[in-house]
Amino acid sequence: MRIRKLFGLGSALLLLVLALCLGGCSSSYQAADPLAGTAWIAQNDGSWWNFAVDGTFGWYQDKNVQDDNYYSGTYEAHRGQAGLDFLAESLTEFEHTRETAERMIEDNGKFDEDYILDNFICFSCNNQSFMMNGQEQLDGDWQTAYYGFLAEEDSQLVILNLRTGTWYWFDKEEA
């Protein structure tokens, strides 16, 4: 009887530790996504980009019109060394290498203390819908990728579109 009680108590403690560990692992995944739960306003045209905690995004030409003129889909984002690894291992089709990104970080870091590896961000968007003038424009999924920096204490997103070579500046929208 005593062995059975000890076994029952030991099993309960093991389950508790396992639950805490899995809960912690799940939380750390969310913390690893630097864009989750954020929204950004483009400095050049006022467009609005929203990144949900479930890994989906929406880019809207006009924040107040969310049923037309938008891209939506899923995204994956990484920061720092993980961003460089993601670029080198998962985004090879874009012809931007780890070395290219490292050189960009080094060159920009000479002029702005925010442009360092710790603030480097790399992400891809799997565009699943592109609505323009009320018509779906995509025939299938289409990937775009970006890299750059989360600057000004994570209040500014400065990114290069790896498909077009265009730089964009976004300000974080305050909740």
Side-chain angles (χ1 to χ4, degrees):
M1 180 83 161
R2 185 171 190 186
I3 292 175
R4 188 178 268 167
K5 280 186 178 180
L6 285 175
F7 180 72
L9 181 59
S11 296
L13 286 173
L14 179 62
L15 287 174
L16 178 63
V17 168
L18 191 59
L20 288 172
C21 176
L22 290 176
C25 293
S26 150
S27 296
S28 99
Y29 173 76
Q30 291 298 332
D33 179 350
L35 296 176
T38 65
W40 303 84
I41 299 170
Q43 290 182 4
N44 66 327
D45 64 5
S47 61
W48 186 67
W49 210 344
N50 181 44
F51 297 91
V53 296
D54 67 357
T56 60
F57 77 93
W59 176 92
Y60 302 91
Q61 186 175 18
D62 182 337
K63 177 184 176 179
N64 299 314
V65 179
Q66 295 186 13
D67 60 354
D68 200 9
N69 301 315
Y70 69 85
Y71 285 92
S72 66
T74 59
Y75 77 95
E76 183 175 349
H78 300 276
R79 187 175 191 165
Q81 185 62 48
L84 281 176
D85 295 341
F86 180 61
L87 173 67
E89 296 165 13
S90 300
L91 301 176
T92 56
E93 74 176 89
F94 293 99
E95 300 179 15
H96 286 261
T97 64
R98 177 189 307 271
E99 292 75 25
T100 303
E102 287 172 337
R103 190 170 43 255
M104 185 268 303
I105 293 167
E106 182 181 335
D107 291 347
N108 283 289
K110 294 174 184 174
F111 302 103
D112 191 320
E113 63 187 22
D114 275 337
Y115 295 169
I116 59 173
L117 178 59
D118 287 347
N119 294 337
F120 177 76
I121 186 169
C122 183
F123 64 99
S124 66
C125 293
N126 184 34
N127 299 285
Q128 297 165 329
S129 181
F130 170 33
M131 292 294 291
M132 185 170 68
N133 300 322
Q135 298 292 317
E136 178 60 54
Q137 303 297 309
L138 293 181
D139 217 359
D141 292 1
W142 182 60
Q143 185 181 41
T144 53
Y146 305 84
Y147 72 51
F149 298 96
L150 273 169
E152 301 293 327
E153 298 179 1
D154 295 349
S155 68
Q156 191 174 70
L157 183 63
V158 180
I159 53 172
L160 174 69
N161 180 318
L162 300 186
R163 196 172 285 286
T164 66
T166 306
W167 281 95
Y168 299 96
W169 284 259
F170 289 85
D171 294 317
K172 190 173 191 177
E173 182 179 63
E174 296 302 320

